[in-house]
Amino acid sequence: MPGTFEPLPGGGAAVALDDVEISIIRSLAVQMMELIGPGPAEDTSGDPLAGLFSEGPSEPPSDPVLRRLFPDAYGDPEGAPRPEEAEEQRVRSAEFRRYTENDLRAGKRDNALAVIRSLDALTPAGGDDVVLELSPDESRQWLGALNDLRLAIGSRLEISDEDDSDLLFRLPDEDPRKPMVMAYLWLGGLQEALVSTLMP
C-alpha cells in the first residue's frame, strides 16, 4: 500500500504516507486555501442570508492558476471565437461566473480543508508510514483537492497538453522546476489510484 490508495471494505480508501509526504500534501492544501482566498461570508457581515445571495465576480481572475481553476464557462477552448461571437461569449461567461464562482470557491476551500483536517488527525508513527483511512465522502473531497492541486501546479509549469507533460520527465535534475514536476507527477499517481478505488 505505500504511496498508493487502495479501496477499503464498505467504501472509502486508504493510503500509507510518511512524514515528508504528509508535510508536502498539507503545505500544498494550505497554499491552495490561501490562493482561493476567503469566501464572501467571511468578507462581509455575519448574516448567513447575505452570504447565500451575494454575487460573485463577473471578470476572470488575473492569476493564471485561478483562471485555470475557475475558467470561463463559455468559449472555444481550441481557439479564439469569431468576432461576432466574442462579445456574446464574454457576457454569458460573466453572468455565469457571477452566480457560480462563490460556490465553486467554497467547494474547493472545503476540499482543501478536509485534506488538512484528515492529515492533522493522523497519529505520528515515529518515522514509519502512517495509514490514512478515508470515508467515501472524504475520498471524494480528496479527489477534488488532488485535482485542484495538479491543475495549480500544471498551470505554474505551463502544462497545457500531454506533450508538455512528457517533456517534464526529461528535465535534468538541476532544473529549478524539478521539485514542482516531481510533486505534479506524484499527485497524479495518487489521483489516479484514488479514482480507481472509487469506481464501482
Side-chain angles (χ1 to χ4, degrees):
M1 181 195 307
T4 186
F5 280 98
E6 294 185 3
L8 287 174
V15 63
L17 299 169
D18 63 28
D19 291 343
V20 173
E21 292 168 330
I22 291 168
S23 176
I24 290 170
I25 296 171
R26 189 185 189 287
S27 174
L28 290 172
V30 168
Q31 291 176 54
M32 178 62 66
M33 289 189 67
E34 291 171 352
L35 178 66
I36 292 171
E42 293 114 46
D43 280 345
T44 59
S45 69
D47 181 2
L49 287 177
L52 182 64
F53 293 107
S54 64
E55 292 183 2
S58 59
E59 294 299 320
S62 58
D63 186 299
V65 173
L66 290 175
R67 273 200 311 273
R68 186 87 176 262
L69 293 171
F70 305 104
D72 278 336
Y74 299 95
D76 182 2
E78 300 300 320
R82 294 193 307 263
E84 63 272 17
E85 296 174 341
E87 181 59 18
E88 180 185 348
Q89 287 180 0
R90 189 196 69 72
V91 170
R92 290 170 66 195
S93 290
E95 195 72 4
F96 186 83
R97 183 180 297 279
R98 181 178 300 125
Y99 294 109
T100 60
E101 188 167 312
N102 284 343
D103 287 340
L104 291 173
R105 284 179 181 259
K108 292 180 185 301
R109 271 193 305 275
D110 288 347
N111 290 343
L113 186 58
V115 168
I116 294 166
R117 286 180 172 158
S118 59
L119 293 175
D120 287 350
L122 292 174
T123 304
D128 295 328
D129 290 352
V130 61
V131 176
L132 171 69
E133 294 189 355
L134 302 173
S135 69
D137 285 342
E138 290 169 330
S139 296
R140 285 186 282 278
Q141 287 185 295
W142 265 73
L143 188 58
L146 289 172
N147 185 61
D148 290 341
L149 292 174
R150 287 194 76 237
L151 284 173
I153 294 172
S155 180
R156 289 289 188 239
L157 291 170
E158 299 180 350
I159 297 172
S160 58
D161 58 35
E162 198 59 39
D163 291 339
D164 293 337
S165 186
D166 291 342
L167 291 173
L168 298 178
F169 281 105
R170 297 190 288 277
L171 281 180
D173 289 342
E174 61 272 12
D175 191 298
R177 296 172 294 171
K178 190 73 171 191
M180 200 182 303
V181 167
M182 298 306 293
Y184 176 81
L185 297 173
W186 173 58
L187 291 172
L190 284 177
Q191 183 182 13
E192 187 176 332
L194 185 51
V195 165
S196 70
T197 70
L198 297 176
M199 294 174 67

